[in-house]
Every structure is written in structure tokens, then in C-alpha cells.
Amino acid sequence: MKQIQDKTYREFADIKHHIGTLQSQQLSDEELSLLYERLKYQFTNLNQQVAVTQTLKPSSEPQPIHKRQKIKRDKPLIQQQGKSIALPKILKQPSIEQRPKKTKGKLKSAHIYQANVLNRELRLNPFSDLPTILDEDLNKGVNNLIQSGFIPRDVDLGPAFKRGEELLSISQVQVQNPPDKNKYYNTGLSENLSKYKVAPQKQAVKQVEEYSSSFVERQSVPREKIQQTKVVRKAKYIIEIKNGHYVPDFNYQIRHFMIWGGIMHIIKKLEKIASGQLDGDRIAQLAQSQFKVHLIDLYECYISRPIMERLYILNKKQFSVDSAIVKIQATVRMFVASRKYRHQKRIVQKVIRIQKEFRLKQTYVYTINQIKKNMGQLISTLENRQKQFLLEDLNQKRIEIHIPSYSIKQFQRLSMSHFKNREGLQLTRLFALKDPNVSIIFVCAPLQEEIMAYFYKLLEVAGINVEGRLFFIHPENINRFPQHYSLALLLYLSPKAIHQISELIKGQFSYIIPMRVGREEFLIAEYLKTNIYSGPYELIEKYSKKSEAIELFRQLSFPVAPEYHKFVSKDDFVDKLTVLIMKNLTVQKWMFKVDIEFNGRGTAWFSLEGVKQFIEIKKFPHGIEFKVLRELVQTLLPIKTVLAFPQMFTFEEYLDNFIKNGGIVEAYPNAQKVQTINIQVNLENQGTYQILNTSTSIVIKEMSKVGCIYPQNVLNLNVDSLIQPLAEELYKQNIFGYFTLSLLSFNGAFYTKSLKFGLDEYIGATILATAMDTDQFTYIPFVYHPGIAEQKFNDLFIKCRKEGISFDIEKKVGTLIWLSDQIEKGVLSLLCLGAPKKAVKLTTDALNFLQQFGGNIMKTNSHQKQDTFYFIDIVSRLRQLNSEGQQ
């Protein structure tokens, strides 16, 4: 038993040396006392076990030492700041204990014993009972006890072995006077220690003297030797290699206890190089470094210049080669890393841009889908209301909301000259008040008092009482948005104006009468909870396209011209045009029409008349080769194609627009006189229809419509037989309202051309003429003369009366002139009531007067891409029609 006690005391004596570095943690007194009481308990428990083993009789078979035995006893507790900590148990020690034998040779690891891990019970439950301590655990040292959980990690073990007072007390004082300071030269640590006073305590004076004297002998160097040594740099801690062997330094070992294995590895290399003084901190840095230690790094550990110079001379070649290799490698790696970084940076920038574009696309698609979804819900709600509207009787009192708006695409509105003035020229709708059951809410821009007074006078002439039946609504935000916004869109963006309309129609039967139906009208109708005097928007938009209308005409067996309208690309356009020419060699002119355009804006024609190559090809119709004819068509197409509005497009732009928006190519009749006939129809909500009037278009530039002559007398046509099947087919698809059917008349025959839906300016003129009890008139809705803008409003009408340009109130015959806005705009409309020939003469006289009043103007090349109708072209065409009528 005495051997076990001696061994345990020796173990704790060794522990004190290994845990000296833990004293710097400055733990609290309570923690130190706790550790002391715990270790004291271990010794007491050990003595108790020894006494117990002496009283027991020896058994026949020895008990295994390594087996753990559970001893049931009360667990002593130690109180620390309100916490109870159970102390570990120490079982019986083996009878014979031997220290582990020292291994010969080099150690393969930094420690002798493999440290145990924390007990599994403690890992799962930190508050469970502490395990018992075996002699095997004690042999592995204090670090193993901490790792295994026998000793808490936050406990400082140093003060547990403190006996008596401290050996040394350290305070900063001046050791010697300045004159005696140079007696000895202390390098490294001795210089730092010279700043402190070593004061031995009473009980340990002898120990301090022995320790300090041995320390000074080992660390101090005579001054004569130091003067011969050139110090490269000052080192905070100096160690020394003498005669190829390291001089042990216990303080340096304790200071770097955790990395001592790496330090010894470097010191072994330094022993093979040279003897001398070394920088201990530099060696510690190399030991902690994760990179490979090179020879030049080892040379930097020496602090004396002669040694470094001698080493450099001996290894100069190796230094230069190594430095060159290191420099080359560093440079190459730098460029490789830089190139890789730039490449990765470009990739990251591209990825970021792609991500932004993708997210933007996702947001855009999501927004569009949400808008479509909301619009679909609104339209479905409105369609349900429209189905109920089909059953309403229009002979009752009602309110008509007139919105004369060009609800077309934005690029079309931007390319329309005087867009706002064209929307303001439809005051002729007011004459729908001829029906006593009708009240009108007219949406328009603010009008001049002279224009309002002029139309009130005309309404009085027509015998219409407007008191309490006519209301003008002006959108309050009409001047806050761009000029190309349609009137319906401006109304939708003007909540006060919409609120005024809702107050006027509250509790009354009402509906909207549009000009060109768009989504804005449907949104307004949904907001006002009213109906639209028109069919579904999708079907209206579908049959407004010329190609879709042709399909409908062919379905109804209406006569149509040879045509084709399904084009995919420019090459496909040339191929299909070549096929059409091969099948119809007698056709001299082919018309190109863009689906969504109107009034000749998207019209062009390709003429083969007078082309010698084509004349030669026609002589041999059965021997025509497709490739030869295609090359001829492809060559002549940009040369022989004439655009109705060349200021709007070049040929390439027109062809791109044609392919993008769709269009139709149809044959133009080979006749001297080809005219366009228009049939105006009102298809009511209950399926009955009314033919309002027929007219002949006044056309310039082949297909550009500038006016109409009512009624048409060109074609002897049974209009009812043509309109009835068309009206029935449209009504089957819930389409009703105002529409215009256009025909192309030649040599007593005709082709059906197109459909146009909505109450446009020409139907408005018919309503005015009907209110004046006549159906014979000539109407030009848009006349622009820049010279008129320089005149005054009153001067215009005074000179009109002097020149005989007037209207007979009693006979209701004559010329009506009205402005859309201020006279400074130079835009006006002409409507001449009378027989066709007389109406044409009145229109010609009025145009001659306006030319005289505003002055002669010439055509000018405008850089704006707009559908400008030149005044001189309109005058020339009317003069030609007047001369033909006089003959």
C-alpha cells in the first residue's frame, strides 16, 4: 500500500510540473479551492481503500485489476456557487505497479498514451454520475483525466499543489544604477528580465539564489564576445545550439508545451546546420506553420550576421537556384491565379446578368399572366352581362355613352398625323338625339364656345331638343398624359370623369357606343357596370383583320379575289407571290395589305405592267420555270412596289411589318375603273339589322380613302341578299353593333374586301344626314391646311358667306364646315348635303375656297413617319370627280 501511495504522490509531483502553464489563466479562488478539495478527497478515498484491503482475507484466485467494480456509497458533494458537483471514485490499486517502460529510438507520435474520450454517459447526459478512476487512468496523466471527464475543463489544477507562499514575487524596478548597467550584457530574455526585481521570500531564499545564479550563468555572455558578434535583429527569446547539440531550456519548453514536438523537429534540422544563438519565437512560428519549411527559413532562425553570411556563402548556389525556382513558381502561379480569377469574374458577371434577365423575364411573364388572368375575369363577367343585354329592348328610354376613341396599337397612334384632332371630328354623333328616347353622354376634349354654339344651332335646325338630354364629359387628366394616348384610355385614367358618368347613368338603362373597340372600353364598361354596343373583343379584333375576313367571306360563298395570306418569312412571301403569279398570269397588279392597318396606311401594290421579261414569260405559259420566275419577282419586288405612304415606311420596313403583323396579297382587277363601295349596317342586339346607307369611296393613291359620296350609284346590287347571311353569321357569334362592309367594284362585278366594326366618322355623317332628312351628301372628314391655322375663327365664316359657301336652313342643302378644336390646328371637316353631282361640286368649291383662304401650298418631304394626306391631292381628286360628273 505504501508503494501505491508513493506512486500517487510522485504522479501528482509530476503533474505540478506539467500544469505550470495553467497558472497564467488566473482562475478564481473558489475554483482553486474546489480543485484542491477534490484531489484531497481522492487521497482520503485511496487511504480508505487501502485499510479495507488489509482487513480482507486473501482469496484463492486473484481478482482482475483492470475490471471495474461498482461500490455503492454515498457520493460526497462539494458546493460551488450554489452548484453540487459529485466527486469521482477511486477503486483499489493493483498490488504491483510498474511505470511504463521507455521506448527506445525515436517517438512516432507527440504523446505516449492515447487519450481517452469523454464517457458515453456524460456525452449523452452531462449531469449524470461521474465515472470511477482507475490506476490505468492515473498513469495517463492529468490531460487524460480532463479529456475523460474526471476533471472539469474550466478548473485550474496549479493552485491545488501550492504549499506555503510563492517562491518569487515579480515587480518592475531598476536593478542597478545607470553607470553599472554595462557590466554585463544580457541578450534576449535576460534583457527583459533586467526590467524586473527578483525578491526571494523568507522561506525560499536559498532556492532563489541557486536558481537565479544558474540562470545567469546559462543566459549571460561576456561583453567582449558580444561586441564581436553582429546581431541581425533583436530576439524576444533566445535559445542556443552548442557543439551541434541543443542546450535544454525548461522555461522555453513549458512556454511552448503544446507544439514542442514540432519545435524539436526543427531544432534537429538546425543542429545539422550550425551552432549558434537562435530566435525561439521564429522557431515556434515555423513549428505552427502549415507550409513546408525550406532551408532559407531555417537560416532566418539564426540571430548573428556572421553565421548567416557564412551559411549564405556556403549555400549561395543553392540559394540562388531555390530563389529562382520559388520566384518562377510564384510568378507562374500568380499569372495562372490572375487569369483564373479574371475568367471566373467574367463568368460570374455573365451569370449575374443572366440571372437578372431571367428574373426580369419571370417577373414580366408573371405580370403579363396576372394581367391576362384579371382581364379574362373582367371579360367573362362582361360577357355574362352582354348575354343579358341581347334580350334588352332598345325602344325604351336609354342613355348612350359615346366614346369616339381610336383604340388601336400605340405605334399606329404615333404614326397618325393630328391624332387628337381626328378624335374630335366626330361631333356628328350628337344627331342621334333625333330619337326622343335617347340621351347622350359625349366624352371629348374641352371644346371652344364657338364650336359648341355652331353644333347647337345645327341641332336646332334638325329639330332636336337637347335640354336635359346632352352631357359633355371631359377627362380631367387629358393634359397630364402623352398626346398619343387614346380618349378611352384617358377616360379610364380619369376617376372623376368616370364617377360623373356613373352618377348620370345610375338606375337607368345605358350602354357604350365605341368607335374602334379596344380593351379600354371593356374596362370602362366593367367599372361602370354597363354594357357595350358591340360584340366580344376577341372576335371583333379577329374579323377586323383582312385575312380573317376573307376566310369568313369564303365561308359565306362571297366572291373574293385570288389571294394568299399565310406568310412565315420573307422568302416564303416571295415563294407564295410567285405561285400566285404563275396561276394568274393575266393579273397585272397585286395589292399588299397589312392586316391591322386602315385607310390605306398598310397598302402597297406590285405592278408587272410593261415588264419585258414578264411579257416574254406569258407567251409560253406551259413552259414557265418556277426558279426563273422567282428570281425575276425577287429582283423586281423592291423596284416595282409602290407604297401608299412612302413617308411611313421603306420597302424593307414595310415587308417586315407585313410579315410580323400578318397581311394579304390579292389580285387587283384589270379594269379601267375600279371603285370601292361601302355598306353601313346597324346590327341590333336582338338580331335585326338596318342598312344605314351605301357610299362610294373617294380614293387617292390607289387605295387611300379620304372621303365618301352617298349613296353609291356604281353597282346595281341587292344589298339585302348580301348583308342578311353576313348579319346572321355574326349574330350567331354574339357580334352586333355598327359595322361597314367594303366591296371592290369593277366592270359590273365585285369582290368583297374587308369588314370594319364600330361607329366611325362616316357612319356619324350618315346619322347627321338622316337627322337632316336626306341620304345624299359628300363627306370629307379630315382636311388639313397649314394656312388656315394663321387665320381667325370669325374671318373664316365671314368670308365663307361672301363666297357663297353656306348652308340653307330651310332646304337643308349646302356646305357644313366645322373644326375639331381651335382654328390654330388647321384641321376641319366638310359635309355637303345635296344630290351626288351637286354635292361633289359644292365640295370642290369649298376646297377651292379653303385653298384661296389659306394660300397655295406645295408638297414637302416630312421627316416624320406619319400618314399625312396632302391638301393638294384631295383638291386634285375632287376636281377630277367634278369634271367627270359634269360630263
Side-chain angles (χ1 to χ4, degrees):
M1 291 300 105
K2 186 176 181 181
Q3 294 178 357
I4 297 175
Q5 292 179 355
D6 294 338
K7 174 189 175 296
T8 306
Y9 280 113
R10 286 197 305 272
E11 286 289 330
F12 282 107
D14 294 337
I15 288 171
K16 180 178 179 181
H17 294 287
H18 289 290
I19 64 176
T21 55
L22 298 177
Q23 295 181 359
S24 59
Q25 296 181 4
Q26 300 296 328
L27 299 180
S28 62
D29 295 338
E30 293 179 358
E31 294 175 340
L32 297 176
S33 62
L34 175 63
L35 180 62
Y36 175 74
E37 292 294 337
R38 176 175 291 182
L39 297 176
K40 181 179 178 182
Y41 168 76
Q42 291 177 358
F43 283 108
T44 305
N45 193 14
L46 179 61
N47 294 331
Q48 292 177 1
Q49 292 183 24
V50 172
V52 171
T53 54
Q54 290 177 354
T55 59
L56 294 176
K57 295 180 180 181
S59 59
S60 59
E61 296 181 0
Q63 186 73 11
I65 299 175
H66 64 277
K67 185 175 181 181
R68 298 180 182 269
Q69 298 179 359
K70 296 184 179 179
I71 302 174
K72 295 183 179 179
R73 63 165 58 90
D74 295 336
K75 301 176 182 179
L77 301 176
I78 297 178
Q79 299 291 333
Q80 178 189 5
Q81 297 180 358
K83 299 180 181 178
S84 298
I85 302 176
L87 293 177
K89 307 171 186 178
I90 301 178
L91 293 180
K92 176 184 176 181
Q93 301 294 336
S95 59
I96 300 174
E97 181 68 19
Q98 294 181 358
R99 286 182 175 273
K101 297 180 180 180
K102 295 184 180 180
T103 58
K104 296 181 179 181
K106 296 184 179 180
L107 296 178
K108 296 184 179 180
S109 61
H111 55 273
I112 299 175
Y113 299 104
Q114 183 178 1
N116 293 336
V117 296
L118 192 64
N119 187 274
R120 187 172 185 274
E121 295 180 359
L122 287 176
R123 291 202 306 270
L124 299 177
N125 183 13
F127 299 99
S128 62
D129 297 337
L130 294 175
T132 57
I133 300 177
L134 297 178
D135 184 64
E136 178 184 357
D137 299 326
L138 295 176
N139 290 336
K140 294 183 180 180
V142 177
N143 189 28
N144 179 67
L145 297 178
I146 295 174
Q147 294 292 335
S148 302
F150 295 110
I151 300 176
R153 292 177 179 272
D154 55 348
V155 175
D156 184 11
L157 301 179
F161 306 99
K162 181 175 65 174
R163 297 192 182 98
E165 298 182 3
E166 297 180 356
L167 296 177
L168 300 175
S169 64
I170 302 175
S171 61
Q172 186 174 2
V173 296
Q174 187 173 357
V175 177
Q176 55 186 2
N177 295 327
D180 301 329
K181 186 176 181 179
N182 297 327
K183 187 175 181 180
Y184 291 100
Y185 179 83
N186 297 328
T187 61
L189 184 60
S190 61
E191 288 185 357
N192 296 331
L193 291 176
S194 63
K195 299 179 182 179
Y196 299 92
K197 177 181 68 176
V198 180
Q201 301 295 329
K202 296 179 180 180
Q203 299 178 1
V205 175
K206 186 176 180 180
Q207 297 179 6
V208 172
E209 289 178 353
E210 294 177 356
Y211 175 79
S212 59
S213 60
S214 62
F215 180 80
V216 172
E217 289 177 0
R218 182 165 52 87
Q219 293 292 341
S220 300
V221 181
R223 183 176 179 183
E224 292 76 8
K225 294 184 178 180
I226 294 301
Q227 290 178 353
Q228 298 176 2
T229 304
K230 296 182 180 179
V231 180
V232 178
R233 61 180 182 275
K234 292 183 178 180
K236 293 183 179 180
Y237 203 97
I238 298 175
I239 63 175
E240 190 174 1
I241 295 177
K242 289 184 178 180
N243 300 324
H245 296 283
Y246 165 65
V247 179
D249 188 345
F250 179 74
N251 287 338
Y252 183 67
Q253 181 177 356
I254 293 300
R255 184 178 182 180
H256 300 289
F257 174 75
M258 302 301 295
I259 58 172
W260 185 246
I263 291 176
M264 285 304 300
H265 178 71
I266 296 175
I267 290 176
K268 290 296 182 183
K269 292 184 177 181
L270 292 170
E271 288 176 350
K272 297 177 181 179
I273 296 175
S275 301
Q277 293 181 344
L278 304 172
D279 187 352
D281 292 336
R282 177 60 179 168
I283 295 174
Q285 290 178 3
L286 294 178
Q288 293 177 348
S289 177
Q290 299 178 357
F291 301 98
K292 182 178 179 181
V293 178
H294 297 279
L295 185 61
I296 191 171
D297 298 327
L298 297 175
Y299 291 165
E300 291 179 355
C301 296
Y302 291 92
I303 63 173
S304 57
R305 184 179 296 276
I307 296 177
M308 292 191 65
E309 291 177 352
R310 180 168 57 84
L311 293 174
Y312 179 75
I313 292 172
L314 294 175
N315 300 277
K316 184 176 181 181
K317 184 177 180 180
Q318 184 176 357
F319 268 125
S320 59
V321 173
D322 292 345
S323 300
I325 292 174
V326 171
K327 185 65 176 178
I328 293 172
Q329 289 179 347
T331 306
V332 172
R333 289 174 181 174
M334 179 190 70
F335 282 108
V336 171
S338 177
R339 182 173 59 189
K340 186 176 180 181
Y341 170 75
R342 291 195 300 269
H343 178 67
Q344 292 292 337
K345 186 177 180 181
R346 287 195 297 268
I347 293 176
V348 169
Q349 290 176 350
K350 293 178 181 179
V351 169
I352 291 173
R353 184 174 180 180
I354 292 172
Q355 287 178 345
K356 288 182 179 179
E357 294 293 335
F358 181 71
R359 290 171 183 170
L360 183 62
K361 181 66 175 178
Q362 281 185 322
T363 306
Y364 174 78
V365 172
Y366 174 78
T367 305
I368 293 298
N369 292 334
Q370 286 296 113
I371 292 173
K372 289 181 179 180
K373 182 178 178 180
N374 297 337
M375 286 295 298
Q377 294 176 354
L378 293 176
I379 291 175
S380 62
T381 305
L382 185 60
E383 286 178 354
N384 295 331
R385 193 183 300 113
Q386 289 288 99
K387 291 179 181 179
Q388 299 177 0
F389 181 63
L390 295 175
L391 305 176
E392 295 288 344
D393 184 12
L394 297 184
N395 293 325
Q396 59 179 322
K397 286 190 175 182
R398 59 194 183 274
I399 297 178
E400 295 180 353
I401 305 171
H402 287 261
I403 307 177
S405 171
Y406 277 97
S407 298
I408 53 180
K409 296 185 180 296
Q410 179 174 333
F411 78 91
Q412 293 176 294
R413 287 184 266 116
L414 287 170
S415 60
M416 289 181 66
S417 61
H418 303 88
F419 172 72
K420 288 296 181 185
N421 302 107
R422 292 190 185 187
E423 288 185 332
L425 290 171
Q426 298 192 47
L427 291 171
T428 53
R429 289 169 172 248
L430 301 180
F431 289 87
L433 292 170
K434 188 73 173 179
D435 187 348
N437 292 327
V438 174
S439 297
I440 290 180
I441 298 176
F442 192 81
V443 181
C444 63
L447 300 173
Q448 285 186 335
E449 295 181 0
E450 293 84 353
I451 299 175
M452 296 289 294
Y454 183 81
F455 269 90
Y456 276 120
K457 184 66 176 178
L458 290 178
L459 291 170
E460 185 180 351
V461 170
I464 299 173
N465 183 16
V466 300
E467 184 177 357
R469 299 170 56 201
L470 179 59
F471 307 94
F472 289 92
I473 299 296
H474 310 300
E476 70 272 11
N477 293 328
I478 195 169
N479 294 322
R480 295 186 177 182
F481 292 97
Q483 293 297 315
H484 65 271
Y485 276 23
S486 64
L487 184 63
L489 181 57
L490 291 172
L491 177 62
Y492 181 72
L493 298 175
S494 301
K496 291 183 179 179
I498 294 182
H499 180 70
Q500 292 176 2
I501 297 174
S502 64
E503 291 294 327
L504 291 172
I505 66 174
K506 184 180 295 185
Q508 302 186 51
F509 177 59
S510 62
Y511 52 87
I512 296 173
I513 298 181
M515 182 176 69
R516 294 183 65 90
V517 183
R519 292 188 180 274
E520 294 83 0
E521 283 82 357
F522 282 89
L523 292 173
I524 294 171
E526 177 61 25
Y527 185 85
L528 296 174
K529 304 301 178 184
T530 186
N531 303 292
I532 296 181
Y533 196 69
S534 175
Y537 169 72
E538 290 79 8
L539 295 177
I540 295 296
E541 187 179 26
K542 175 183 177 181
Y543 290 124
S544 295
K545 297 179 179 180
K546 298 174 178 60
S547 58
E548 296 292 341
I550 289 294
E551 293 290 341
L552 179 63
F553 297 153
R554 187 176 284 109
Q555 179 183 348
L556 297 173
S557 300
F558 288 176
V560 295
E563 56 82 28
Y564 191 84
H565 57 269
K566 297 179 181 179
F567 300 101
V568 179
S569 61
K570 294 181 181 180
D571 294 335
D572 185 57
F573 177 82
V574 177
D575 294 340
K576 298 302 189 297
L577 178 59
T578 305
V579 173
L580 283 173
I581 293 173
M582 289 181 65
K583 292 181 179 180
N584 304 274
L585 293 175
T586 58
V587 178
Q588 300 290 327
K589 185 183 292 186
W590 294 90
M591 304 299 297
F592 306 152
K593 300 176 184 178
V594 180
D595 270 340
I596 62 175
E597 294 294 352
F598 56 94
N599 289 347
R601 287 164 45 94
T603 304
W605 54 92
F606 175 60
S607 178
L608 295 172
E609 188 175 1
V611 179
K612 294 181 180 181
Q613 295 90 332
F614 184 68
I615 294 173
E616 294 295 331
I617 289 174
K618 289 197 298 182
K619 291 179 180 180
F620 306 97
H622 299 290
I624 299 176
E625 294 184 4
F626 177 80
K627 291 183 178 180
V628 176
L629 184 58
R630 188 189 186 283
E631 291 179 359
L632 177 62
V633 171
Q634 190 171 11
T635 303
L636 295 177
L637 194 59
I639 302 172
K640 302 293 289 185
T641 301
V642 181
L643 303 179
F645 290 94
Q647 67 271 22
M648 289 182 60
F649 309 101
T650 62
F651 174 75
E652 293 296 332
E653 292 174 348
Y654 175 82
L655 194 56
D656 291 337
N657 188 27
F658 185 93
I659 300 299
K660 178 181 178 181
N661 296 305
I664 183 173
V665 176
E666 64 180 7
Y668 192 78
N670 295 329
Q672 294 182 353
K673 191 173 185 179
V674 180
Q675 293 179 318
T676 302
I677 298 174
N678 307 299
I679 304 174
Q680 299 171 349
V681 183
N682 178 17
L683 179 58
E684 297 180 353
N685 60 332
Q686 294 184 349
T688 59
Y689 66 90
Q690 178 186 1
I691 298 175
L692 301 177
N693 208 339
T694 61
S695 64
T696 304
S697 297
I698 302 173
V699 178
I700 61 175
K701 299 180 181 180
E702 298 292 339
M703 295 299 293
S704 299
K705 181 180 177 181
V706 296
C708 287
I709 301 174
Y710 296 82
Q712 69 88 19
N713 54 5
V714 176
L715 188 64
N716 187 10
L717 179 66
N718 186 359
V719 179
D720 285 333
S721 62
L722 189 64
I723 296 300
Q724 183 178 358
L726 178 60
E728 291 177 355
E729 181 63 28
L730 292 176
Y731 191 74
K732 286 181 182 179
Q733 303 181 38
N734 295 330
I735 298 176
F736 61 93
Y738 296 95
F739 69 89
T740 301
L741 174 64
S742 298
L743 311 175
L744 196 65
S745 173
F746 60 96
N747 299 334
F750 70 92
Y751 290 144
T752 49
K753 283 179 53 180
S754 61
L755 276 173
K756 184 179 180 182
F757 294 90
L759 198 160
D760 61 359
E761 57 271 26
Y762 294 99
I763 298 178
T766 300
I767 294 174
L768 186 150
T770 303
M772 295 293 182
D773 301 326
T774 182
D775 61 349
Q776 298 180 352
F777 62 95
T778 300
Y779 178 56
I780 301 178
F782 178 76
V783 178
Y784 170 68
H785 194 299
I788 299 176
E790 301 175 0
Q791 305 297 328
K792 295 182 179 180
F793 185 85
N794 293 331
D795 294 342
L796 174 63
F797 290 95
I798 291 173
K799 290 185 179 181
C800 281
R801 285 194 293 269
K802 289 182 179 180
E803 296 295 331
I805 309 298
S806 60
F807 181 74
D808 191 342
I809 297 177
E810 296 181 357
K811 296 181 180 181
K812 297 180 180 179
V813 176
T815 304
L816 296 176
I817 301 176
W818 66 86
L819 303 173
S820 64
D821 197 351
Q822 302 175 358
I823 194 173
E824 289 79 4
K825 303 294 184 180
V827 177
L828 49 84
S829 293
L830 284 176
L831 191 145
C832 300
L833 299 176
K837 292 183 179 181
K838 185 177 181 179
V840 171
K841 184 177 183 307
L842 291 174
T843 306
T844 305
D845 294 340
L847 291 173
N848 291 332
F849 163 73
L850 291 174
Q851 186 176 14
Q852 182 181 359
F853 178 74
N856 295 326
I857 57 173
M858 301 298 294
K859 290 184 180 180
T860 57
N861 293 326
S862 177
H863 296 288
Q864 296 181 351
K865 294 187 175 184
Q866 294 182 339
D867 56 347
T868 303
F869 294 95
Y870 293 106
F871 182 81
I872 189 65
D873 292 335
I874 300 175
V875 174
S876 300
R877 180 58 179 161
L878 264 297
R879 288 174 181 174
Q880 181 183 357
L881 292 175
N882 185 34
S883 61
E884 291 176 359
Q886 295 299 328
Q887 294 176 1

